[in-house]
Amino acid sequence: MSKVRVRFAPSPTGPLHMGGVRTALYNYLFAKKHGGDFLLRIEDTDQNRYVPGAEQYIMESLQWCGIHWDEGPGTENAFGPYRQSERKEIYRQYAMQLIESGRAYYAFDTPEELEAMRKRIEAEKSGNPQYDSRSRLSMKNSLTLSGDDVERRLAAGENYVIRIKTPENEEIVLEDIIRGTVKVHSSQLDDKVLFKSDGMPTYHLANVVDDYLMKISHVIRGEEWLPSAPLHVLLYQSLGWEASMPQFAHLPLLLKPDGNGKLSKRDGDRLGFPVFPLQWKDPNSGETSSGYREAGYFPEAFVNLLALLGWNPGTEQEIFSLEELVASFSLERVGKSGSKFDPEKAKWFNHHYLQSQPVEIVAEQMQEMARQQGQENTLEKLQKIATLMRERANFVYEILEQSQFFFEAPTHYDEGFAKKRWKEDTPEILKKLADVLEEVEPFDTESIHQVTHQFMEENQVGAGKLMPGLRLALVGSGMGPDLSTIMEILGREESLQRIRHAAENLKV
Ligand code: GLU
């Protein structure tokens, strides 16, 4: 097999959908698995749909996921440039080659004439209302006009397009790695536009020319491109490149959580999950869409969950690092049918990565988030909190939310819990305990634990009596982790202050 070279070829028309990231990921995994190259190519020939910032967004998304390209905008390489708008001259040359070999033709029809043709075919019910091998001979093009007329129109700068001349009666067959044999009869295909008089190719021509020149071995892309694949095969044949045609693999769709249709931005808004890797602010409408990064996902979790939306390892294993994915990935294990996106499962993945992350990293992220809310904390304290609290959280911000009592003394006490557990003699017992804790050395979990139990024994107070009151004083509610650990993290001064404050002020 020749060297594996694959490409991710997004059009910068907006933010990258998570399905697009999955396409990039599968390309990357396939390339790395086979020791090949992964290219990023920006398909920006459609100037009308160009959105400023989208290219930058796409690159930043891939970088965040750890999907690094070997070649792409910004890399010096013989196969570049990697932005189609910078390759305009190349496409013209191949459009001319197709004209000269009779595989394509000029067409001068106006939008009104095209519309009239469609209406006529519809009314006659004589076939597909399209520009094709049946209708082309009744249109204004270099097949019906004289050579002089065509020359005159071109010289006069008349608007034209170059269309492929689809063969009349041929079966086009392609082998798709995922979908198997795909057959289409050429009579179903229309004479697609390949090139326009503004000097720009359309997607189809540019895509095929670039895949050929960049020596792409496998085209791995979304299922929405399957209907274009027969045309691409025709183009390879027409350009005489059949022998170096890449292999195709069309990936199944990502489906809504209920399985009914393609996962869209609206589903995310409706059900409260992001469909984009990073937050995106639309430069035209100013509307902001949420992203996985900003929602608190680890890139490792996002990549892991995407990998399993369409591919399965054939085992029960669900947790995969990027390296493990590279080692296990194969296109043969990508299913034909769409994969339902499950937002709860997405959280489950993040939960896992939150637990396995070095605690230092979690603490750093907590520090940064708390800082943005105006709270300053030492990493040492945050590491202890993270160790204690992360097991119950799916996201770093949830640890912070559930740890607020570490940062602020209770401003009020859970009334229901206090009514049940705060007894008449609780204040007195707590004050006594505070005096004892004053002397504990060192003020750490173990010593606090030991002294508290000794205190209970000496004073004939059961845990059921002491602990709920102590918890109310320290946390403000009946919940939270082990009290000795809480006290160690709070420190002696803060702990005793809270205990004494509650003893003085909490009345039920
Ligand atoms: N530019 C196309 C897109 O936006 C690329 C499709 C392909 O990979 O051939 O998805």
Side-chain angles (χ1 to χ4, degrees), residues 105 117 120-122 124-139 141 143-144 164-169 185-191:
Y105 58 92
M117 173 264 289
R120 175 175 56 78
I121 299 177
E122 258 165 31
E124 291 171 1
K125 294 195 170 42
S126 59
N128 295 329
Q130 61 187 18
Y131 212 120
D132 60 12
S133 55
R134 297 170 62 133
S135 59
R136 65 167 82 108
L137 288 180
S138 57
M139 303 304 286
N141 53 48
L143 304 173
T144 58
I164 184 161
K165 190 176 169 197
T166 313
E168 254 156 68
N169 195 11
H185 198 268
S186 64
S187 60
Q188 296 304 309
L189 301 179
D190 61 338
D191 289 357

Side-chain angles (χ1 to χ4, degrees), residues 7 9-11 43 203 207 211 219-221 224-225 232:
R7 83 303 192 274
S11 300
E43 303 211 322
Y203 154 72
N207 187 267
D211 282 347
V219 166
I220 305 168
R221 62 185 170 192
E224 64 272 29
W225 300 103
H232 297 176

Side-chain angles (χ1 to χ4, degrees), residues 235-390:
L235 278 171
Y236 280 100
Q237 293 170 349
S238 305
L239 287 158
W241 297 339
E242 219 179 338
S244 31
M245 188 164 82
Q247 282 184 265
F248 291 99
H250 287 91
L251 305 173
L253 293 175
L254 284 193
L255 303 177
K256 296 177 196 300
D258 65 9
N260 283 322
K262 193 175 160 186
L263 183 67
S264 74
K265 177 170 137 34
R266 247 178 298 133
D267 301 314
D269 295 342
R270 190 167 53 90
L271 301 167
F273 59 83
V275 295
F276 301 120
L278 316 179
Q279 186 174 297
W280 164 258
K281 186 159 182 236
D282 189 296
N284 299 317
S285 67
E287 188 198 347
T288 301
S289 306
S290 64
Y292 278 86
R293 182 177 64 184
E294 290 73 13
Y297 280 82
F298 290 102
E300 297 88 337
F302 183 57
V303 163
N304 195 155
L305 75 91
L306 278 182
L308 289 166
L309 284 172
W311 167 80
N312 76 80
T315 65
E316 294 294 300
Q317 187 179 347
E318 290 189 289
I319 298 298
F320 287 88
S321 67
L322 194 56
E323 294 71 38
E324 288 172 317
L325 286 171
V326 167
S328 323
F329 187 77
S330 77
L331 287 172
E332 282 67 32
R333 299 210 72 91
V334 173
K336 271 200 206 37
S337 49
S339 313
K340 273 190 256 178
F341 173 67
D342 176 355
E344 288 310 310
K345 188 78 189 195
K347 290 183 195 158
W348 178 86
F349 277 107
N350 211 61
H351 177 85
H352 171 85
Y353 283 92
L354 180 58
Q355 312 313 312
S356 62
Q357 210 70 221
V359 75
E360 293 79 11
I361 304 269
V362 178
E364 275 168 27
Q365 295 192 3
M366 286 168 69
Q367 189 178 50
E368 188 49 42
M369 268 181 219
R371 201 168 270 162
Q372 281 166 15
Q373 297 161 12
Q375 282 176 346
E376 214 32 73
N377 294 289
T378 64
L379 281 176
E380 193 197 348
K381 178 174 175 181
L382 292 173
Q383 276 189 31
K384 287 183 185 170
I385 296 175
T387 308
L388 193 62
M389 303 294 287
R390 68 170 157 183

Side-chain angles (χ1 to χ4, degrees), residues 20-32:
V21 184
R22 188 195 59 171
T23 300
L25 176 65
Y26 285 11
N27 272 285
Y28 172 85
L29 297 176
F30 184 76
K32 297 303 130 188

Side-chain angles (χ1 to χ4, degrees), residues 64-102:
W64 180 65
C65 293
I67 303 173
H68 299 297
W69 52 95
D70 302 295
E71 295 171 32
T75 67
E76 292 299 322
N77 200 285
F79 293 100
Y82 297 92
R83 250 181 229 107
Q84 291 187 327
S85 58
E86 294 166 19
R87 302 170 62 81
K88 269 162 73 173
E89 283 317 306
I90 301 176
Y91 310 120
R92 176 188 299 279
Q93 182 190 325
Y94 292 104
M96 289 307 131
Q97 181 186 323
L98 289 169
I99 293 259
E100 276 151 30
S101 61

